[in-house]
Amino acid sequence: MTEPLHISLHRTAKYFMDSGRVQTTEEAMDLLKSFGLTIAVGPEIQTSQAAQVALLTLVNLARRTFLAGVEIVGLADAPVLTGLALETSLAHAVSNLGGRIASHARSDWPVAVIGSVEMQTPQARAWRVTWQGWRAGVVPVRDGWAMNDDAVMPLAPALASAVCAAEVFALHAGDHPLAGKRASGLSLWRPGSDWTEADETEPALAFLPSRLWLIGLGNLGQAYSWLLACLPYPPSGLELVLQDFDRLALSNDSTSILTNLDVLGRMKTRRAAEWLEARGFTTYLEERRFGAWTQRQADEPAVALCGVDNATARAVLEDAGFGLVVESGLGAGPQSFRNFAMHTFPGPRRASELWPTTLSVETPDISHMPAYANLKDKGVDACGLAQLASRTVGVPFVGLVARGASSLRTFAPPEWGGRRTR
């Protein structure tokens, strides 16, 4: 049986439908199928855990959006050095995430470079994926500089890859005039600062959370799970309560980085638990909606990370008894899907003030866009069109950046259950 479009449509294809750029859903998918990426890796990939984090993260993110494919050149096989993959062979890990090993870069695809790669003719559409300390991003190869790609902050290489995916997407989509021509990045330590400038205030990573409650296991919750596996936890070093009531649908494969076609239909909690426990974490499942009835018990995690898409759940975040809540939300429509917001509670304003249950949320009317008119002509009824229109545009790399930025607040001191890393 064919699933309804609102649970099967690629969430990034919806960007081109909602913006009016394409006439049909098929045209939107054909556009994504023209997007490809080559990743060129240097010899560091064999011995650097950080470089492997960058490679596996970029392959995982890119294969969901660049449907022409993701090809890796220069990859001599090596042992896997990061908990992100369970395979012993890095080549197998890349393949299982959807990457293809290739002998040379295609001339018509942009290139992402990880490590010291000599490029014969640096292309205008080639970026160096780079990081240092808590700062990470991409630099056009033709600019000729990079950071030192150290291992000070294990999330930095993952962040650099998410930024790279965002730049490659903007280049393919042709919706930003500077894509491919600019350095782009972020400081996890001081998000408002210039990420290219050295920052002597960046600390060594000293504490990690030992117990967390994750609310929502979709795009954001799976991104956070991926990032947790980048961190230097010992076996059984982190206990997680995983809360979600939903099952994985085809559309999740386009945005959620622990999802693939083999796990569709499973509860989101159970898929996340399976992935996390295979990497040494301890999980407990809560498969009800988060709401006013949710109450943390005294022996449960005091720190919660929320990544849900509805105001009703957000409005009661402070009523469940957590000591600290970090909430992240992604932008939705074609103008804001690259944006995210973060709140922490307790804070200067209560959650119920930020998301009043009486607030009527108006969404842009996109029913007149050509792709929706085409679906109507094909017999999709008004209810089906309304359900499809209500779904958000989504890309996986924004969720990873959002969770990376919000993770800082959870690197908690002992009073919040922090575990010393060294």
Side-chain angles (χ1 to χ4, degrees):
M1 185 176 70
T2 303
E3 292 184 322
L5 271 177
H6 70 276
I7 60 173
S8 63
L9 182 67
H10 197 290
R11 290 295 180 85
T12 311
K14 199 168 182 298
Y15 166 50
F16 301 112
M17 295 169 59
D18 291 7
S19 62
R21 178 166 167 176
V22 298
Q23 304 293 310
T24 66
T25 54
E26 292 79 9
E27 188 179 344
M29 289 302 296
D30 286 344
L31 198 54
L32 288 179
K33 290 174 183 174
S34 70
F35 295 179
L37 173 66
T38 296
I39 305 172
V41 297
E44 298 87 350
I45 204 69
Q46 299 185 51
T47 56
S48 167
Q49 183 183 64
Q52 292 193 7
V53 167
L55 172 62
L56 296 175
T57 302
L58 185 52
V59 171
N60 192 346
L61 294 173
R63 79 88 178 156
R64 299 172 192 279
T65 307
F66 310 139
L67 302 187
V70 181
E71 295 185 344
I72 298 87
V73 299
L75 182 61
D77 201 10
V80 171
L81 304 175
T82 166
L84 289 177
L86 301 181
E87 297 86 351
T88 56
S89 157
L90 184 60
H92 288 165
V94 165
S95 177
N96 288 340
L97 285 172
R100 298 192 297 261
I101 310 300
S103 58
H104 62 277
R106 299 183 188 224
S107 60
D108 56 340
W109 283 9
V111 179
V113 173
I114 299 173
S116 53
V117 177
E118 293 293 332
M119 299 190 68
Q120 296 295 324
T121 53
Q123 305 175 41
R125 303 183 305 166
W127 298 264
R128 176 79 148 79
V129 182
T130 190
W131 58 91
Q132 183 171 343
W134 295 62
R135 294 164 290 122
V138 291
V139 179
V141 167
R142 64 184 182 185
D143 287 2
W145 68 273
M147 293 176 163
N148 67 12
D149 300 348
D150 59 25
V152 172
M153 163 42 76
L155 302 187
L159 173 67
S161 290
V163 173
C164 182
E167 287 294 291
V168 175
F169 177 77
L171 178 76
H172 276 305
D175 59 4
H176 198 295
L178 294 180
K181 304 174 184 175
R182 61 180 175 178
S184 180
L186 182 71
S187 167
L188 290 170
W189 179 242
R190 293 197 304 170
S193 64
D194 181 353
W195 71 280
T196 64
E197 295 292 330
D199 185 350
E200 296 180 353
T201 70
E202 291 178 349
L205 186 61
F207 293 99
L208 292 173
S210 61
R211 308 176 78 206
L212 290 170
W213 190 311
L214 301 190
I215 305 168
L217 273 302
N219 187 341
L220 286 165
Q222 293 192 22
Y224 202 79
S225 299
W226 181 269
L227 293 174
L228 287 172
C230 297
L231 295 169
Y233 277 106
S236 303
L238 174 62
E239 294 182 4
L240 293 157
V241 174
L242 307 177
Q243 182 165 13
D244 202 303
F245 66 96
D246 204 0
R247 293 181 182 274
L248 291 164
L250 183 56
S251 60
N252 293 118
D253 185 60
S254 59
T255 59
S256 305
I257 64 176
L258 306 188
T259 303
N260 56 57
L261 300 182
D262 295 334
V263 300
L264 301 186
R266 297 189 60 186
M267 294 294 292
K268 292 179 178 178
T269 48
R270 298 178 202 184
R271 169 54 183 163
E274 175 186 63
W275 195 89
L276 288 161
E277 291 194 358
R279 287 153 179 82
F281 299 109
T282 302
T283 65
Y284 303 92
L285 307 188
E286 174 58 82
E287 295 184 327
R288 296 186 299 167
R289 291 177 184 269
F290 182 88
W293 49 86
T294 305
Q295 283 296 311
R296 167 190 171 260
Q297 303 302 303
D299 60 345
E300 294 178 329
V303 179
L305 294 107
C306 176
V308 301
D309 60 0
N310 70 89
T312 304
R314 289 170 171 152
V316 296
L317 283 172
E318 290 170 287
D319 300 337
F322 298 114
L324 171 67
V325 179
V326 183
E327 185 276 339
S328 299
L330 302 177
Q335 304 302 322
S336 60
F337 72 99
R338 292 181 173 90
N339 300 339
F340 66 91
M342 183 183 76
H343 303 88
T344 59
F345 305 101
R349 296 182 64 186
R350 289 190 57 79
S352 56
E353 297 175 29
L354 292 170
W355 297 287
T357 55
T358 55
L359 181 66
S360 176
V361 178
E362 294 186 4
T363 56
D365 180 12
I366 53 177
S367 61
H368 62 286
M369 291 298 179
Y372 289 84
N374 177 262
L375 287 170
K376 185 177 180 180
D377 291 342
K378 291 176 178 175
V380 178
D381 61 24
C383 179
L385 289 174
Q387 287 183 309
L388 179 60
S390 69
R391 296 303 191 265
T392 60
V393 175
V395 287
F397 41 83
V398 176
L400 200 78
V401 173
R403 272 317 191 193
S406 63
S407 64
L408 175 62
R409 193 67 177 87
T410 67
F411 294 161
E415 58 266 33
W416 292 122
R419 180 184 297 275
R420 187 173 289 277
T421 62
R422 56 192 173 83

